Amino acid sequence: EAGVAQSPRYKIIEKRQSVAFWCNPISGHATLYWYQQILGQGPKLLIQFQNNGVVDDSQLPKDRFSAERLKGVDSTLKIQPAKLEDSAVYLCASSSSPGDEQYFGPGTRLTVT
Amino acid sequence: AQSVTQLDSQVPVFEEAPVELRCNYSSSVSVYLFWYVQYPNQGLQLLLKYLSGSTLVKGINGFEAEFNKSQTSFHLRKPSVHISDTAEYFCAVSEPGSARQLTFGSGTQLTVLP
């Protein structure tokens, strides 16, 4: 069984630029999560999808972050414009349903200069 | 609101020695508890979880954890560590409900020394 795929693995951009991350969850997993992991901290949930609907985006900075999961499979997370404090690892995870074991991708390490 | 405190940010230990990584949580309701491991440049992998039943939970790679409701703790233990156990360990809590989201602690870096 293929795991959660994410791309790119690394990205360096200048502040005020835009960036997008892609996630392909495990086949059949209806629930998809995006987390932000700042160096030295645990992952923080940004947004949770159930199929193509948003379950919770209360911690997503909506003035600059957006996410979509149009067909209930792949998802993209976008930052526009980026700030220095957005430097972090962005993790995608999926589960068959809310509360089931979450499987994490390798993450995208974003550096904003 | 739930929160998780991992009391040690770094734990160095010699190979074949025992180790305990401490985790305390706060919540007003019954919770589910998890330990994840993160190896360098990789995503998180579930080590073990407590949902209900026996308070002693066994996980992968020889790790175990004990749920203590009165002390609101879920400490992770291994009787004899290996160099390959060097990684970051995260404790997480989830409250029952439709979303059942995870709240993570800040992590403990376990370094096993030869």
Side-chain angles (χ1 to χ4, degrees):
Chain A
E1 177 181 78
V4 177
Q6 290 188 247
S7 68
R9 291 295 311 276
Y10 305 91
K11 189 74 176 179
I12 301 174
I13 62 172
E14 296 181 350
K15 60 183 179 184
R16 290 187 289 274
Q17 286 186 322
S18 62
V19 64
F21 313 128
W22 173 81
C23 172
N24 181 235
I26 291 173
S27 178
H29 279 193
T31 312
L32 186 145
Y33 312 80
W34 282 103
Y35 291 86
Q36 180 191 58
Q37 186 179 16
I38 294 173
L39 186 64
Q41 300 180 19
K44 182 185 81 172
L45 180 69
L46 292 175
I47 188 167
Q48 178 182 348
F49 289 95
Q50 181 66 21
N51 296 309
N52 61 348
V54 176
V55 173
D56 185 355
D57 62 357
S58 58
Q59 298 198 79
L60 187 73
K62 299 181 187 63
D63 57 334
R64 298 183 299 106
F65 286 65
S66 65
E68 60 184 12
R69 194 184 183 200
L70 292 175
K71 296 182 178 179
V73 182
D74 294 5
S75 177
T76 56
L77 176 69
K78 297 178 181 177
I79 307 176
Q80 181 179 9
K83 293 185 176 181
L84 295 176
E85 58 262 35
D86 298 331
S87 293
V89 175
Y90 291 84
L91 295 166
C92 179
S94 70
S95 64
S96 55
S97 62
D100 286 347
E101 179 178 346
Q102 294 185 28
Y103 294 83
F104 285 79
T108 297
R109 183 177 298 276
L110 173 66
T111 302
V112 183
T113 63
Chain B
Q2 59 201 23
S3 66
V4 178
T5 302
Q6 291 185 243
L7 298 163
D8 305 298
S9 59
Q10 297 193 36
V11 174
V13 63
F14 286 106
E15 193 173 17
E16 297 183 6
V19 70
E20 178 180 81
L21 306 184
R22 297 181 293 170
C23 172
N24 286 87
Y25 68 93
S26 65
S27 176
S28 58
V29 299
S30 296
V31 296
Y32 300 153
L33 294 157
F34 306 80
W35 275 100
Y36 283 83
V37 60
Q38 186 175 35
Y39 299 102
N41 298 316
Q42 294 185 29
L44 281 72
Q45 179 185 5
L46 182 66
L47 270 180
L48 48 80
K49 61 185 176 184
Y50 171 79
L51 303 182
S52 64
S54 174
T55 57
L56 183 63
V57 181
K58 294 190 183 297
I60 62 172
N61 300 341
F63 284 93
E64 63 181 31
E66 186 156 18
F67 170 56
N68 188 318
K69 187 175 182 179
S70 63
Q71 297 187 6
T72 60
S73 67
F74 190 55
H75 300 335
L76 181 70
R77 302 187 184 101
K78 187 170 183 178
S80 176
V81 294
H82 303 288
I83 297 288
S84 59
D85 292 323
T86 294
E88 187 94 21
Y89 292 80
F90 292 94
C91 182
V93 63
S94 165
E95 290 186 353
S98 60
R100 295 190 183 176
Q101 294 160 358
L102 291 173
T103 298
F104 287 87
S106 56
T108 297
Q109 173 65 44
L110 173 65
T111 301
V112 181
L113 306 168

